[in-house]
Amino acid sequence: MRAGACLIAGVAFAIAGCSESNQPASTTPPVPLPSATVYEDVRGRVASLKTPLADLQVTHERIADFANSSGETVGMNAMTMAMPLADDIDPDSFSVGDKIVFDLVVDWNSTPIWYITDVRPLAADTELDLPTVADDSDDE
């Protein structure tokens, strides 16, 4: 009888845990899931804040070892992308034009598919290899 009660309590606890972890698609796990790939030390510049699709738009440098959903290394050109932030990063701590280095988490099995973790500022005079169009914002 006691074993049965423990089993029922365990199942109830598991169900409660599952319902709480069923978070909206916009939330990001504090730690990348085992199925994720983390691209470390990606450098870029904040292009805009709080877009309809994400917390930031970031123009980033090329990611040479980027792998597609099949696991094939295809690289990713430098571009501007909407970037959700991990839940522990305050989007209000950024300004347009900030140069940053961050880890890009990509998990083809989750929503969102990608997000930023571990953001650190770069010196304002750091030279970035970014698309020419994005560099026009420096001309004032």
Side-chain angles (χ1 to χ4, degrees), residues 82-124:
M83 297 283 197
L85 298 172
D87 290 338
D88 61 345
I89 299 173
D90 179 10
D92 294 328
S93 64
F94 300 97
S95 297
V96 171
D98 286 351
K99 293 180 181 179
I100 57 175
V101 60
F102 57 90
D103 292 349
L104 177 63
V105 177
V106 179
D107 188 342
W108 296 103
N109 300 314
S110 73
T111 302
I113 293 173
W114 63 81
Y115 59 95
I116 291 177
T117 64
D118 194 25
V119 182
R120 299 158 322 269
L122 288 171

Side-chain angles (χ1 to χ4, degrees), residues 18-105:
C18 289
S19 65
E20 288 179 19
S21 67
N22 189 11
Q23 301 171 3
S26 63
T27 63
T28 56
V31 176
L33 299 171
S35 57
T37 302
V38 179
Y39 300 94
E40 296 180 344
D41 300 328
V42 178
R43 300 179 342 150
R45 183 177 55 230
V46 176
S48 64
L49 304 172
K50 296 187 181 179
T51 71
L53 298 176
D55 300 307
L56 302 175
Q57 271 196 325
V58 176
T59 303
H60 65 79
E61 292 181 320
R62 184 178 194 302
I63 304 171
D65 60 341
F66 186 83
N68 64 17
S69 61
S70 300
E72 177 186 6
T73 300
V74 294
M76 179 186 286
N77 289 332
M79 66 178 72
T80 302
M81 294 177 58
M83 297 283 197
L85 298 172
D87 290 338
D88 61 345
I89 299 173
D90 179 10
D92 294 328
S93 64
F94 300 97
S95 297
V96 171
D98 286 351
K99 293 180 181 179
I100 57 175
V101 60
F102 57 90
D103 292 349
L104 177 63
V105 177

